[in-house]
C-alpha cells in the first residue's frame, strides 16, 4: 500500500518536468531567470528533507505523510496565480518543502512495516513505484500541457489528494494499533536516548559519499539529455525512447537484481559494484556515442542504480536507532537534495568549458573513487553500530 500511494502521488508529478517550459513559453521568463526559479525547488527539497526527518521522529510518520500529501493540494492549485519570478520562486519553494517532507517519513514507514529480511526489497518496490509514476506523469503532462498548462497543476493536486485519502484510509487504524503497542512496550523497558545523525561522524562521511555519488548519477537529469541532443544528434523522440527504456528496464530488473545481490554479495561489494557501473556507463560515452553504445551505457547505468540506491536506504536504516530513523533518513535525503542543486550547474559548466568528453571521464573517475570509499566505509560504519547494539542488548 505504501508503494501504491507512492505510485499515485508520483504519477501526478507532471509539474517539474514541464516547469521550465511553462516559465519560458507561457510566462516568458528568460532562461537564466527560469533556472533561478528552478533552483528554489532544490532548496526546498533540502529544507523539506531536514524538516521531514526531524518532525517524523517527534509526531510519527503517519501524520507527516498525511499532512504532506494533503497540504500539497492547495499549494499546487495556487501556483498558476503567481506570474512573477519572485512570486513563483516563493510558491515553488513552499510547495517543495511540503512535498519533500514526505520522503523521510515514507522511508521510516517502510522500515516499520517491512520484515527485517525484506527491507531492501521493500525499498526496491517503493522505487519501482516511483519509476512507474515518473514514466506515467511526464507522458500525461505532455498531453495536458498541450491543452492548458493550468491542467498540469490541478492534475498534480488531484493525484496528491487521491494519494493522501488512500493513505489515511488504509493506515489510520493500523497506526492507532501500533501506537497502543508502542505505549505498552514503553511501560516495560527504558527507552535508550539515541544520538543525532548530525553528530555521527561516520554517518556524515557516508552521507558525503552519497552526495558525491548523486552528483555523478544526476547527470542523467541534466547534462546527459543535452549531450544526446547536441553531440549524439538524437531527435527528441529518440531521447524520449532511451529515457523510457531506462524506466522500463529498472521496473523489469530491479527486484531480481536486488535479490541476487542480497543472496550472493555483501552490502559493501554491492555498493562497490553498483557505483563502479554507474561511473563506467558515463565514462564510455567519451569514446563513442553510437546508438548501440548509448543503449549499453544506459543499461549499465540502470543496473548500477539498482545496486546502489535501494541499498543506500537500507544502510541508513541499519545505522539508525529505533527512535531517530526519521532524522537519519532526512539527513541522507538532504545529501541527494544538495546534489540536485549542484549537479546541473557543475555539469553544464564543465561541459561548456572543457567539453563533454572531460565531463564523462571526470564523472567516471570520481565514481570509481567513491566506489572504493563505499567498500571501506560501510563495514567500518556498520560494524561500529553492530557492536554498540550487542553491548546495549547485553546491558538490558
Amino acid at each position: 500500500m505504501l508503494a501504491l500511494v507512492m505510485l499515485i502521488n508520483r504519477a501526478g508529478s507532471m509539474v517539474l518536468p514541464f516547469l521550465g517550459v511553462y516559465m519560458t513559453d507561457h510566462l516568458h521568463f528568460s532562461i537564466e531567470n527560469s533556472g533561478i526559479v528552478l533552483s528554489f525547488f532544490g532548496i526546498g527539497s533540502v529544507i523539506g528533507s531536514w524538516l521531514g526527518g526531524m518532525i517524523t521522529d517527534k509526531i510519527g510518520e503517519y501524520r507527516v505523510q498525511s499532512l504532506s500529501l494533503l497540504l500539497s493540494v492547495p499549494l499546487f492549485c495556487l501556483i498558476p496565480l503567481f506570474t512573477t519570478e519572485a512570486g513563483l520562486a516563493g510558491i515553488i519553494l513552499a510547495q517543495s518543502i511540503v512535498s519533500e517532507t514526505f520522503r523521510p517519513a515514507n522511508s521510516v514507514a517502510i522500515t516499520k512495516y517491512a520484515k527485517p529480511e525484506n527491507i531492501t526489497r521493500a525499498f526496491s518496490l517503493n522505487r519501482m513505484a516511483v519509476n512507474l509514476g515518473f514514466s506515467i506523469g511526464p507522458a500525461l503532462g505532455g498531453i495536458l500541457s498541450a491543452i492548458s498548462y493550468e491542467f498540469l497543476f490541478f492534475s498534480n493536486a488531484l493525484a496528491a489528494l487521491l494519494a493522501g485519502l488512500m493513505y489515511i484510509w488504509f493506515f489510520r487504524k493500523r497506526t492507532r494499533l501500533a501506537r497502543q503497542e508502542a505505549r505498552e512496550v514503553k511501560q516495560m523497558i527504558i527507552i535508550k536516548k539515541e544520538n543525532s545523525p548530525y553528530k555521527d561522524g561516520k554517518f556524515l562521511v557516508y552521507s558525503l559519499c552519497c552526495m558525491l555519488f548523486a552528483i555523478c548519477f544526476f547527470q542523467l537529469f541534466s547534462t546527459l539529455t543535452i549531450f544526446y541532443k547536441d553531440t549524439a544528434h538524437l531527435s527528441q523522440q529518440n531521447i524520449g525512447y532511451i529515457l523510457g527504456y531506462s524506466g522500463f528496464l529498472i521496473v523489469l530488473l530491479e527486484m531480481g537484481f536486488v535479490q541476487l545481490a542480497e543472496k550472493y554479495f555483501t552490502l559493501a561489494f554491492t555498493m562497490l559494484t553498483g557505483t563502479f557501473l554507474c561511473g563506467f556507463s558515463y565514462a564510455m560515452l567519451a569514446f563513442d556515442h553510437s546508438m548501440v553504445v548509448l543503449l549499453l551505457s544506459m543499461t549499465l547505468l540502470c543496473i548500477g542504480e539498482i545496486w546502489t540506491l535501494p541499498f543506500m536506504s537500507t544502510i541508513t536504516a541499519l545505522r539508525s536507532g529505533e527512535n531517530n530513523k526519521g532524522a537519519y533518513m532526512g539527513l541522507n535525503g538532504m545529501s541527494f537534495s544538495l546534489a540536485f542543486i549542484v549537479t546541473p550547474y557543475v555539469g553544464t559548466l564543465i561541459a561548456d568549458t572543457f567539453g563533454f568528453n572531460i565531463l564523462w571521464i571526470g564523472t567516471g573517475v570520481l565514481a570509481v573513487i567513491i566506489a572504493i570509499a563505499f567498500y571501506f566505509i560501510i563495514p567500518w560504519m556498520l560494524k561500529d553500530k553492530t557492536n554498540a547494539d550487542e553491548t546495549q542488548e547485553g546491558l538490558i
Side-chain angles (χ1 to χ4, degrees):
M1 284 303 296
L2 284 169
L4 183 58
V5 168
M6 181 67 81
L7 173 61
I8 295 170
N9 188 32
R10 294 308 184 189
S13 297
M14 53 192 79
V15 167
L16 186 59
F18 292 92
L19 194 57
V21 180
Y22 168 73
M23 289 187 287
T24 56
D25 181 55
H26 186 70
L27 299 180
H28 307 294
F29 291 0
S30 67
I31 294 176
E32 182 181 0
N33 286 341
S34 298
I36 293 172
V37 173
L38 284 172
S39 69
F40 277 83
F41 178 88
I43 295 169
S45 179
V46 174
I47 298 172
S49 294
W50 168 77
L51 183 64
M54 181 183 68
I55 62 177
T56 294
D57 290 331
K58 294 183 181 300
I59 66 174
E61 88 287 341
Y62 171 78
R63 290 176 179 170
V64 174
Q65 289 183 91
S66 302
L67 288 171
S68 175
L69 291 169
L70 295 181
L71 289 176
S72 293
V73 176
L75 289 172
F76 278 123
C77 293
L78 287 172
I79 291 176
L81 301 180
F82 293 84
T83 56
T84 64
E85 287 92 340
L88 192 58
I91 192 66
I92 290 297
L93 176 67
Q95 192 279 324
S96 178
I97 291 172
V98 170
S99 294
E100 290 303 306
T101 57
F102 179 85
R103 287 200 302 165
N106 183 258
S107 296
V108 171
I110 291 171
T111 64
K112 175 180 176 181
Y113 289 107
K115 295 178 181 179
E117 64 270 20
N118 290 337
I119 188 168
T120 302
R121 275 168 277 178
F123 280 117
S124 296
L125 180 63
N126 215 42
R127 273 180 25 82
M128 284 175 62
V130 171
N131 279 295
L132 277 175
F134 276 128
S135 297
I136 296 168
L140 289 175
I143 297 170
L144 293 173
S145 63
I147 303 170
S148 171
Y149 281 110
E150 280 73 13
F151 281 175
L152 291 176
F153 305 110
F154 296 138
S155 298
N156 229 143
L158 178 62
L161 178 62
L162 290 175
L165 293 176
M166 177 176 287
Y167 177 78
I168 292 169
W169 168 74
F170 188 82
F171 285 98
R172 181 177 55 186
K173 184 180 293 186
R174 286 164 176 78
T175 301
R176 193 180 300 126
L177 290 173
R179 284 179 189 157
Q180 179 62 34
E181 291 176 0
R183 280 194 292 268
E184 292 173 358
V185 170
K186 284 180 181 179
Q187 292 173 1
M188 300 170 60
I189 64 173
I190 300 173
I191 300 299
K192 174 190 173 186
K193 184 178 180 181
E194 292 167 323
N195 293 327
S196 165
Y198 299 94
K199 298 178 181 178
D200 186 343
K202 293 182 178 181
F203 185 73
L204 289 172
V205 173
Y206 168 74
S207 293
L208 175 62
C209 290
C210 289
M211 185 186 75
L212 294 174
F213 167 80
I215 290 173
C216 296
F217 177 74
F218 283 164
Q219 303 295 332
L220 172 66
F221 302 113
S222 54
T223 51
L224 187 59
T225 52
I226 300 173
F227 169 80
Y228 284 160
K229 182 73 174 176
D230 294 347
T231 304
H233 305 296
L234 298 185
S235 66
Q236 288 176 293
Q237 187 177 24
N238 285 336
I239 294 172
Y241 287 151
I242 292 179
L243 296 178
Y245 164 76
S246 70
F248 172 76
L249 194 66
I250 289 172
V251 171
L252 184 67
L253 299 179
E254 178 143 357
M255 294 303 289
F257 271 66
V258 165
Q259 287 183 300
L260 180 70
E262 285 184 323
K263 187 174 182 180
Y264 295 107
F265 303 158
T266 64
L267 282 172
F269 185 78
T270 301
M271 292 290 290
L272 170 73
T273 306
T275 306
F276 175 81
L277 286 176
C278 286
F280 184 75
S281 71
Y282 283 118
M284 65 190 298
L285 297 176
F287 303 97
D288 190 358
H289 42 78
S290 63
M291 181 57 74
V292 173
V293 172
L294 295 182
L295 288 173
L296 177 60
S297 170
M298 184 57 73
T299 301
L300 293 176
L301 182 63
C302 290
I303 296 173
E305 177 185 350
I306 289 169
W307 277 344
T308 49
L309 296 186
F311 291 92
M312 284 183 181
S313 298
T314 301
I315 292 164
T316 301
L318 291 174
R319 179 65 180 177
S320 66
E322 288 298 322
N323 303 308
N324 59 4
K325 287 190 188 299
Y328 270 84
M329 291 296 181
L331 176 56
N332 194 247
M334 284 173 62
S335 67
F336 282 83
S337 299
L338 287 168
F340 192 80
I341 297 173
V342 172
T343 303
Y345 176 75
V346 172
T348 52
L349 178 65
I350 293 173
D352 187 51
T353 306
F354 302 104
F356 277 106
N357 287 350
I358 297 297
L359 174 64
W360 300 142
I361 292 172
T363 300
V365 171
L366 178 59
V368 169
I369 295 171
I370 299 164
I372 296 170
F374 275 139
Y375 187 73
F376 291 101
I377 288 169
I378 291 167
W380 171 62
M381 180 176 66
L382 294 185
K383 181 180 179 181
D384 178 65
K385 175 64 177 176
T386 302
N387 291 339
D389 288 344
E390 289 174 352
T391 301
Q392 179 67 17
E393 289 173 7
L395 292 173
I396 292 173

